[in-house]
Amino acid sequence: MPWYFYIALKQLFPTGRRFHFFTAISTAGVMLGVALLIIVQSVMNGFGHEIRSRIVDTNAHIRVEGGSILRDWEAVRAEIASDPAVKIASPYAHGVVMAQKDNIPAFPLIRSIELEPELEAIPVERYLRSGHMDLLDDDSVFLSSGLAFTLGARPGSVIEVYSPLMLERLKREELLLPRELEVVGIFESGWQQVDDNTMLVTLRLMQDLYGLQNGVHGIAVRLHPGHDADTVARRLNDRLPMPYLARSWMDTNQDFLFILQLEKHVLFFLMLFIVVVAAFSITSSLLITVVRKTREIGLFGALGGRPREIAACFCFQGFLLGLAGTGLGVVLALTVLHFRNDIVSTFAQITQSEEALRRFYQFVDLPVYFEVRDFVVIVGSAVLISTFAGLIPAWRASRLKPTEAFRSE
Amino acid sequence: MSEPVLRARGIRKTYRSGDKRIEVLRGVDLALRPGENISIRGASGSGKTTLIHLLAGLDSCEEGDLLWEGRPVRPGKGGLARRRTTFLGMVFQAFYLVPELNALENVLLPARIAGVNIREATERARGLLDRVGLEERVTHLPTQLSGGEMQRVAIARALMNHPRVILADEPTGNLDEVTGGVMMDLLLSVCAEAGTALVLVTHNRPHAERMERRLELHLGLLNDTAFAPPAGPPSGGETETGEPDQSG
Ligand SMILES: Nc1ncnc2c1ncn2[C@@H]1O[C@H](COP(=O)(O)OP(=O)(O)OP(=O)(O)O)[C@@H](O)[C@H]1O
Ligand SMILES: [Mg+2]
């Protein structure tokens, strides 16, 4: 080992003595910064992942539409289904209706689903809070939790539904009778846009309500895991005839996903300053060391040490402190994240905010997702910043002349 | 007579602080034969430390040249640092041990800087600590040693890389009379055993008297004191060098 690394190690971990207090403090600074960065980024990732999977579950990976009603959709579906990446391609019709129960009106979105879960791109079953898939028929409906709440409906309730087609009939002064549907299930996807105001019915009922005959509005596509929705959408667009357009969920939710990503990057950038501030404490603690050890640094020169070796000694100390702080920070972050649910629930109990957490964030368990890339970036930048923090003291030390060092008191 | 191991010719050194110029050395000549030991005395502020630093190649002078084993020394040039590791050992008044290292590690430090095999060097360092009478203190930290013991460690350290010359700047200055005398015995005997030349800067007349050659730094010149008047203070030593300027 070169002597300057040896001295660096000895100055940090003196023989027979404990870690120096100053160095412990500055290491703790880096540790906290790194831990915070990892925790925040991992939780952000967790939320991001959660949100993305909710989007996929409620929107499907890809939707193929053709401007208006698709009449020859069977052929299109077969074409789509022939792509090896496609797991399920299911037709759907969607729109808006007016629903009423005991004079309480609502204007929910309505969407059709296939009754066989293997044929439906949207995993409704997974989000059914009460009721059962088998119960849905052409005279019944699944309500989202928010809609059920608004209407005061529960399984077994009957609601009245008016479709836009009925308005047409109304203009022709036909007798208008609403469609009576029995609520047979309540679902909750955790995706508020959907949960507030949605109802699910069979395709046949939807075609009836909207007068579509055999037509549908589009084909929803679920992919086998590991396929990129954008790529598959592009591939489908190459194959499908003109009016048909396949759009991935990333494409349709572009703005939202961009904000999600931006938020993460901005947070990273801001939190990185915690590490920078911690690095300043490394700088000052090493500068104190340089001043305290002026005569020793002179001695190294007198014993034949070169200025750049003396500089390396202090740079290496910055690097080591950064490395130690970063390592401890990673350990701390992993520990905190491991016990996150206990921490959150204790916090919720103390502040009595469990209900609020559930309502606003739709979770009580904090979602966490580790991305290797984040770890590499965080660890890399923390160590780099700490090494840079050693540069100023190193420069000071290397410029110290032995003659001046020996004369300093 | 053999070629001098260290030779200085016409060394001039002037300090500038503000407008004031302090001519400390005005043409110092010195030739040190291998294994020779000499003393340099002089009043406080006469430039002894300045001269030692110049001889060690730690500082540069306006005029004059310095040769180590016949080869010129140019401070600030690359390569000098490595030459210094094997040519020179230094002993200081304030010991300058590294507080984080124990006695053995301090003695080993020059070997680490020179980049030699540490296992072999460790054997030698233990031998040197034995030689200076610290076999029981090998793992002690400087804070656990007395002044005299610290200076023994420093002497062992100075000898570590088999130097040709040891420069000692008031090595007994921080020690009491008896310990100082013991330290002089030690320095003289280890240098004699190793054939190392010794330049000793001291205020202490009895210590200086023990050297083969006694020089005096006076008015910026190095004089042979073999023929100087044996008693009485050196005249005018304090006046000529002017007020010692505080330079921080
Ligand atoms: N960096 C400097 N700038 C200006 N003047 C200096 C500087 N270093 C030393 N001097 C001056 O040079 C003169 C010689 O100093 P030096 O330390 O060599 O004396 P010395 O003989 O070793 O004294 P002492 O016996 O007290 O150790 C003193 O007057 C001192 O004030
Ligand atoms: Mg001096």
Side-chain angles (χ1 to χ4, degrees):
Chain A
M1 182 179 10
W3 70 270
Y4 38 94
F5 287 168
Y6 170 79
I7 290 292
L9 284 171
K10 283 293 180 183
Q11 288 191 342
L12 291 178
F13 312 101
T15 305
R17 263 190 284 172
R18 258 187 284 130
F19 209 51
H20 200 277
F21 190 62
F22 275 127
T23 46
I25 294 281
S26 43
T27 308
V30 176
M31 173 183 82
L32 288 177
V34 167
L36 216 55
L37 256 174
I38 289 178
I39 292 170
V40 166
Q41 293 288 298
S42 300
V43 172
M44 286 293 287
N45 284 342
F47 276 120
H49 247 252
E50 201 84 340
I51 288 171
R52 283 150 184 268
S53 72
R54 299 280 161 88
I55 294 178
V56 170
D57 281 355
T58 53
N59 286 263
H61 282 117
I62 296 172
R63 279 196 279 176
V64 181
E65 297 192 350
S68 62
I69 301 166
L70 315 184
R71 301 273 170 209
D72 54 348
W73 58 269
E74 298 276 9
V76 175
R77 180 169 69 162
E79 178 76 35
I80 293 169
S82 71
D83 190 298
V86 174
K87 188 178 177 196
I88 302 170
S90 58
Y92 65 87
H94 62 170
V96 184
V97 291
M98 175 177 158
Q100 203 171 16
K101 179 177 178 291
D102 306 332
N103 291 330
I104 304 168
F107 298 87
L109 297 165
I110 186 166
R111 187 198 191 278
S112 74
I113 55 169
E114 296 284 281
L115 290 176
E116 295 292 323
E118 306 86 66
L119 298 179
E120 175 53 59
I122 289 170
V124 178
E125 203 172 19
R126 192 183 304 165
Y127 296 107
L128 223 46
R129 291 279 165 274
S130 65
H132 195 270
M133 288 303 285
D134 295 344
L135 298 174
L136 192 68
D137 60 19
D138 295 344
D139 291 308
S140 54
V141 64
F142 288 155
L143 298 187
S144 70
S145 56
L147 181 60
F149 181 77
T150 312
L151 291 173
R154 64 188 63 189
S157 307
V158 173
I159 61 169
E160 295 170 343
V161 170
Y162 302 81
S163 73
L165 191 64
M166 295 173 180
L167 290 177
E168 287 299 315
R169 293 207 193 120
L170 199 61
K171 280 190 223 160
R172 284 182 258 134
E173 300 192 34
E174 289 177 32
L175 179 65
L176 184 67
L177 277 180
R179 190 75 181 248
E180 291 195 342
L181 299 176
E182 189 191 349
V183 178
V184 292
I186 309 285
F187 67 91
E188 192 173 65
S189 68
W191 185 231
Q192 202 189 3
Q193 277 181 3
V194 172
D195 289 346
D196 272 358
N197 204 22
T198 307
M199 51 203 279
L200 299 175
V201 295
T202 61
L203 180 59
R204 192 122 36 93
L205 175 57
M206 191 56 200
Q207 285 168 335
D208 226 20
L209 284 171
Y210 265 68
L212 299 174
Q213 281 140 355
N214 272 331
V216 298
H217 286 133
I219 311 283
V221 179
R222 188 163 193 90
L223 300 179
H224 287 293
H227 290 280
D228 178 49
D230 275 329
T231 318
V232 178
R234 234 173 288 132
R235 203 155 64 209
L236 291 177
N237 279 330
D238 288 343
R239 284 168 52 186
L240 293 171
M242 191 41 201
Y244 297 106
L245 182 64
R247 295 185 72 194
S248 71
W249 64 278
M250 285 112 126
D251 194 13
T252 41
N253 293 280
Q254 225 170 17
D255 294 350
F256 185 75
L257 292 174
F258 174 73
I259 287 171
L260 216 62
Q261 197 63 26
L262 185 71
E263 200 171 30
K264 192 185 148 193
H265 287 160
V266 168
L267 260 176
F268 172 78
F269 189 67
L270 292 180
M271 304 282 270
L272 197 61
F273 276 90
I274 297 178
V275 178
V276 172
V277 171
F280 270 101
S281 77
I282 290 185
T283 304
S284 68
S285 110
L286 287 180
L287 267 178
I288 290 169
T289 311
V290 170
V291 172
R292 226 162 27 98
K293 297 193 177 298
T294 297
R295 293 200 293 179
E296 273 169 56
I297 293 166
L299 175 80
F300 298 146
L303 290 180
R306 298 188 180 105
R308 74 182 122 94
E309 293 171 338
I310 292 168
C313 174
F314 284 90
C315 258
F316 188 57
Q317 289 189 46
F319 169 78
L320 281 179
L321 290 176
L323 203 63
T326 307
L328 290 172
V330 170
V331 171
L332 179 66
L334 292 181
T335 312
V336 168
L337 289 175
H338 185 256
F339 294 108
R340 65 185 183 275
N341 289 329
D342 302 315
I343 295 171
V344 169
S345 69
T346 309
F347 172 80
Q349 263 167 21
I350 292 170
T351 58
Q352 305 197 319
S353 56
E354 204 163 332
E355 204 42 50
L357 278 180
R358 203 189 295 276
R359 189 168 316 145
F360 287 112
Y361 299 107
Q362 296 150 347
F363 74 87
V364 186
D365 290 349
L366 204 57
V368 158
Y369 185 81
F370 298 112
E371 264 185 33
V372 177
R373 198 176 138 269
D374 284 350
F375 270 78
V376 171
V377 170
I378 290 169
V379 168
S381 41
V383 172
L384 198 70
I385 288 170
S386 309
T387 311
F388 272 116
L391 280 182
I392 296 172
W395 178 75
R396 274 283 306 254
S398 70
R399 277 178 33 114
L400 211 59
K401 290 208 180 74
T403 50
E404 286 162 18
F406 289 142
R407 286 188 193 279
S408 77
E409 274 311 301
Chain B
M1 210 176 265
S2 57
E3 193 195 338
V5 64
L6 180 149
R7 183 176 191 105
R9 275 184 305 220
I11 301 268
R12 297 181 78 86
K13 177 74 184 174
T14 309
Y15 286 116
R16 255 167 277 266
S17 64
D19 303 337
K20 257 171 113 179
R21 296 176 74 239
I22 307 165
E23 280 197 300
V24 182
L25 303 177
R26 311 172 179 213
V28 168
D29 294 313
L30 177 68
L32 189 67
R33 291 191 306 278
E36 186 186 22
N37 54 54
I38 67 171
S39 69
I40 297 176
R41 284 208 310 141
S44 187
S46 57
K48 302 184 296 295
T49 298
T50 304
L51 178 60
I52 288 288
H53 286 170
L54 284 165
L55 295 180
L58 295 173
D59 205 354
S60 52
C61 53
E62 300 85 63
E63 253 179 62
D65 44 32
L66 175 67
L67 303 168
W68 288 351
E69 299 176 300
R71 285 174 60 202
V73 171
R74 304 212 190 294
K77 285 274 153 50
L80 177 61
R82 282 297 177 268
R83 273 176 79 191
R84 190 183 294 125
T85 55
T86 50
F87 176 77
L88 202 66
M90 290 183 83
V91 181
F92 307 89
Q93 179 175 358
F95 323 132
Y96 296 156
L97 299 184
V98 179
E100 286 87 2
L101 306 182
N102 65 30
L104 182 66
E105 293 164 340
N106 263 293
V107 175
L108 264 174
L109 188 56
R112 288 187 186 277
I113 292 179
V116 303
N117 183 307
I118 288 302
R119 192 163 308 183
E120 287 164 23
T122 308
E123 284 309 300
R124 174 167 170 75
R126 283 182 188 280
L128 285 169
L129 280 171
D130 273 2
R131 177 64 190 84
V132 297
L134 289 180
E135 52 274 78
E136 305 290 314
R137 299 279 192 275
V138 171
T139 58
H140 284 213
L141 291 170
T143 48
Q144 298 164 329
L145 297 174
S146 73
E149 287 164 343
M150 283 199 262
Q151 198 59 298
R152 286 167 193 261
V153 175
I155 290 169
R157 180 177 67 189
L159 287 164
M160 183 66 218
N161 287 344
H162 304 279
R164 304 295 314 277
V165 175
I166 285 182
L167 302 177
D169 191 358
E170 300 189 44
T172 59
N174 281 9
L175 305 174
D176 64 67
E177 196 66 29
V178 177
T179 317
V182 174
M183 215 53 60
M184 284 310 303
D185 295 344
L186 183 63
L187 251 182
L188 281 170
S189 57
V190 293
C191 284
E193 285 161 24
T196 306
L198 173 66
V199 177
L200 175 81
V201 164
T202 185
H203 283 298
N204 188 305
R205 189 179 277 265
H207 292 171
E209 306 274 282
R210 297 178 61 179
M211 297 294 160
E212 290 169 4
R213 196 144 62 99
R214 294 165 291 280
L215 303 176
E216 178 155 346
L217 192 58
H218 182 53
L219 300 180
L221 292 172
L222 205 52
N223 307 307
D224 219 312
T225 56
F227 309 106
S235 58
E238 318 265 321
T239 49
E240 187 49 46
T241 47
E243 305 298 323
D245 264 54
Q246 301 307 304
S247 57

